[in-house]
Amino acid sequence: MRTLVIGAAVEAGIRRVVFSSVIHPGLSLINHRAKGPVEEAIYDSGMEYAVLQPALFFQNFAGAWGPTVASGVLAEPWSAETRFSRVDYRDVAEAAAIALTEDRLLGGTYELAAPGLHNRHDVAAMIGRITGRDIRAVRSDPARMNVPEGLRAMFAHYDHAGLVSNPLTLTAVLGREPRMLEEYLNELNRADTRE
C-alpha cells in the first residue's frame, strides 16, 4: 500500500519526495521493515528524493510525562540498561523543510540523531534533576501489556541492542547543533508547571 503512493506520485508528475523513514530500516522489526520497501520504491522511482531516517523521538516522552513525575517511575517495555539515540521531531521537520526547499540534500539518505546516548537510568536522572523528584527507571513487562508478537520482538531487540547512531549527519544538515534531550525535558517540565 505504501509503495503504491510512490507509484501514484510518479504518475501524477510529482518531482520531489521527502520520506521520513526510521533509523536502521534494515532491521527485521515490525516498525523498521515496513520502511524498506518504501525506500526502495523511492530510489527506483526516478523522482528527486531525500530519505530521512530519524532515531526515537524526544516527543515520545510527552504522553507519559505527568504519570512519570507523579509516580516517580519511568517505565518502558525493554531493558533500562540499553542505550538509545533520540532526536527532537522539530529538528527532523526542519531537515524535511530543507530537503523540500533546497537542492543540497537531494539524492541522499540521512540518519538523524541528536547528541547523546542515554539509557533509561540516564533519562530518569535528567527528569529527577529537572523536577526535583526521585525518578526510578524500570522495565515494564511486555507479556502483561497484551501487545502483538511483532512489538514483543521489537522490545526484545531493544533489550539487548538499543538503537544507536550519532549527531554528525543531523548537525551537517541543520548547520547547527541539534536540540538536546535535557533541553526538551526542561520544556516539558515548564509546560507542566504552567498548567
Side-chain angles (χ1 to χ4, degrees):
M1 178 62 124
R2 292 176 179 139
T3 57
L4 293 177
V5 172
I6 303 305
V10 170
E11 286 182 26
I14 301 296
R15 185 173 58 90
R16 180 177 300 187
V17 62
V18 176
F19 179 53
S20 183
S21 183
V22 66
I23 188 174
H24 306 163
L27 291 172
S28 61
L29 304 175
I30 189 169
N31 63 327
H32 295 252
R33 71 173 176 245
K35 306 292 187 171
V38 181
E39 288 191 21
E40 185 175 347
I42 289 168
Y43 302 143
D44 196 40
S45 70
M47 287 188 289
E48 295 177 350
Y49 69 85
V51 175
L52 310 179
Q53 296 177 335
L56 295 177
F57 297 129
F58 293 174
Q59 285 73 11
N60 292 347
F61 290 115
W65 181 261
T68 296
V69 174
S71 68
V73 174
L74 176 61
E76 291 171 309
W78 54 80
S79 171
E81 308 299 327
T82 49
R83 299 180 312 153
F84 288 82
S85 294
R86 297 183 186 266
V87 68
D88 193 306
Y89 193 74
R90 294 169 295 184
D91 285 343
V92 176
E94 186 175 333
I98 291 167
L100 285 167
T101 60
E102 300 178 18
D103 292 342
R104 66 185 172 96
L105 300 184
L106 290 183
T109 300
Y110 305 94
E111 199 169 274
L112 306 180
L117 281 172
H118 307 292
N119 65 29
R120 193 167 318 112
H121 297 292
D122 299 329
V123 178
M126 284 183 211
I127 296 171
R129 282 193 303 275
I130 290 165
T131 63
R133 297 174 181 254
D134 289 329
I135 306 292
R136 289 183 305 117
V138 302
R139 179 185 188 271
S140 51
D141 184 358
R144 295 179 173 220
M145 297 172 62
N146 195 26
V147 296
E149 181 58 37
L151 286 180
R152 275 187 287 222
M154 181 181 76
F155 299 155
H157 173 81
Y158 290 178
D159 265 338
H160 73 274
L163 286 172
V164 176
S165 187
N166 68 66
L168 182 65
T169 301
L170 184 55
T171 301
V173 167
L174 298 177
R176 62 166 173 80
E177 286 293 315
R179 291 175 173 92
M180 303 287 285
L181 177 58
E182 193 154 358
E183 295 169 13
Y184 175 74
L185 297 175
N186 265 303
E187 289 177 24
L188 285 181
N189 189 56
R190 286 192 299 271
D192 189 46
T193 56
R194 283 196 300 264
E195 291 178 358

